[in-house]
């Protein structure tokens, strides 16, 4: 049990990491609004509890988001922790991804968390307290081949959260962006992963290799989502909680590699970059 009972709203709670987070929060004695596009699947995953409210929420729907928040306030009186967890994965080379696939990736993984957070923030501002936790990815700081759509959404999430933190901090609202590496969730299952059609011959060989890799990774990821759920309980009890939590040894290694790479890029052109200031106008005697 934690020291304070809180009310959590969790998106994508019907399976995968969202279900693990909801179960951990309930086991710790918290109230949980567990949401998903299929509320029956959410209820089946989590069972019965007086501290559980299941709500329908497709994060691409602003009306769903507002209805879930209203239901949470009616039932529990407020919302202390929002976990933006729902996401999808549109895999493929940029030229082969359709514009519609790119739009759906951004709608679910970037605009979706914005929709839910926009609905929750008035409640937290009124309370003058709260914690917005958004599950991003190591793809939020390190792009990868075959991941242009996914990385675009996660880089967007990281930039949005970093800016949002400054805007809502004066109201006593904390923010945490979580950057997991490979965790054994259901993101790579057929329910959550969509592949670009193989349509350009120049990409054919690499496309086949990438598809084999990603399909082969499903069920072989090294991270334990139940342990990540427990880590989130620890983070949400910290005062203050961290703005960023890089989850998993693989994610830490990738972050450190990116930091070194960016420092090298800065150093390589430091003199040129520093020479770009507007020169003072010359005066004549």
């Amino acid at each position: 049990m934690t020291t304070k009972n809180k009310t959590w709203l969790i998106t994508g709670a019907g399976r995968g990491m969202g279900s693990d987070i909801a179960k951990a929060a309930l086991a710790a004695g918290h109230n949980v609004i567990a949401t998903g596009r299929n509320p029956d699947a959410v209820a089946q995953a989590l069972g019965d509890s007086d501290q559980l409210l299941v709500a329908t929420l497709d994060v691409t729907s602003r009306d769903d988001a507002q209805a879930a928040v209203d239901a949470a306030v009616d039932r529990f009186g407020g919302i202390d922790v929002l976990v933006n967890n729902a996401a999808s994965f549109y895999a493929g080379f940029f030229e082969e991804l359709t514009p519609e696939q790119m739009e759906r990736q951004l709608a679910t993984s970037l605009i979706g968390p914005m929709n839910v957070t926009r609905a929750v923030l008035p409640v937290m501002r009124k309370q003058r307290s709260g914690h917005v936790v958004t599950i991003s990815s190591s793809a939020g700081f390190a792009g990868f081949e075959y991941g242009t759509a996914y990385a675009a959404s996660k880089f967007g999430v990281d930039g949005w959260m970093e800016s949002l933190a400054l805007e809502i901090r004066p109201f006593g609202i904390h923010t945490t962006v979580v950057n997991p590496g490979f965790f054994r969730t259901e993101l790579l299952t057929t329910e959550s992963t969509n592949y670009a059609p193989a349509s350009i011959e120049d990409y054919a060989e690499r496309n086949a290799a990438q598809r084999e890799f990603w399909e082969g990774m499903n069920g072989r990821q090294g991270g334990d989502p139940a342990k990540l759920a427990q880590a989130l309980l620890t983070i949400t009890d910290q005062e203050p909680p961290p703005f960023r939590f890089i989850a998993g040894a693989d994610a830490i290694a990738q972050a450190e590699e990116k930091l070194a790479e960016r420092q090298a890029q800065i150093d390589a052109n430091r003199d040129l970059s520093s020479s770009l200031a507007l020169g003072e106008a010359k005066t004549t005697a």
Side-chain angles (χ1 to χ4, degrees):
M1 296 287 289
T2 56
T3 56
K4 178 186 175 185
N5 175 271
K6 297 177 182 178
T7 296
W8 292 50
L9 192 156
I10 303 165
T11 69
R15 57 195 179 89
M17 189 179 296
S19 178
D20 285 312
I21 296 169
K23 290 175 182 177
L26 287 168
H30 297 302
N31 303 319
V32 172
I33 305 94
T35 73
R37 289 179 297 175
N38 183 346
D40 291 338
V42 176
Q44 184 175 1
L46 300 180
D48 295 323
S49 170
D50 291 339
Q51 292 176 283
L52 172 66
L53 173 65
V54 174
T56 301
L57 175 51
D58 178 341
V59 297
T60 66
S61 168
R62 292 190 295 273
D63 290 342
D64 276 8
Q66 190 60 58
V69 170
D70 291 344
V73 174
D74 288 345
R75 173 74 174 269
F76 297 117
I79 299 170
D80 300 300
V81 180
L82 165 63
V83 181
N84 288 309
N85 166 74
S88 60
F89 180 31
Y90 284 84
F93 293 103
F94 175 70
E95 280 193 276
E96 294 188 317
L97 284 160
T98 67
E100 292 76 18
Q101 286 180 313
M102 184 68 75
E103 289 167 5
R104 287 195 292 270
Q105 178 74 85
L106 296 175
T108 301
S109 299
L110 175 58
I111 305 302
M114 291 181 177
N115 289 337
V116 182
T117 303
R118 185 178 285 110
V120 167
L121 283 180
V123 176
M124 291 185 173
R125 279 193 292 105
K126 184 177 180 180
Q127 297 169 173
R128 285 301 193 261
S129 66
H131 192 172
V132 178
V133 179
T134 299
I135 308 298
S136 179
S137 168
S138 57
F141 55 74
F144 59 95
E145 183 182 15
Y146 215 63
T148 45
Y150 189 69
S153 70
K154 295 304 187 179
F155 266 75
V157 160
D158 280 34
W160 163 59
M161 283 288 288
E162 192 159 319
S163 300
L164 180 67
L166 303 174
E167 296 178 359
I168 62 179
R169 185 183 300 162
F171 307 122
I173 306 171
H174 298 295
T175 51
T176 298
V177 60
V178 181
N179 298 102
F182 278 109
F183 276 76
R184 199 167 297 181
T185 67
E186 297 187 35
L187 182 65
L188 297 182
T189 63
T190 55
E191 290 82 6
S192 295
T193 295
N194 298 270
Y195 291 95
S199 58
I200 299 175
E201 181 60 31
D202 280 346
Y203 291 110
E205 184 176 347
R206 290 158 62 203
N207 200 328
Q210 285 287 338
R211 180 101 181 226
E212 181 180 3
F213 170 79
W214 288 104
E215 289 179 342
M217 278 298 296
N218 183 37
R220 297 175 57 195
Q221 305 97 317
D224 184 344
K227 289 182 178 179
L228 178 53
Q230 291 297 323
L232 292 188
L233 290 178
T234 299
I235 286 169
T236 54
D237 270 349
Q238 291 177 350
E239 289 290 346
F243 166 71
R244 186 180 302 279
F245 178 60
I246 296 176
D250 58 338
I252 289 176
Q254 193 168 32
E256 290 176 335
E257 181 180 332
K258 273 294 169 184
L259 285 172
E261 177 187 293
R262 292 186 180 183
Q263 187 63 58
Q265 291 166 345
I266 291 169
D267 293 341
N269 287 288
R270 183 180 297 275
D271 291 343
L272 178 60
S273 180
S274 301
S275 70
L276 304 180
L278 186 66
E280 295 183 9
K282 294 181 180 180
T283 59
T284 57

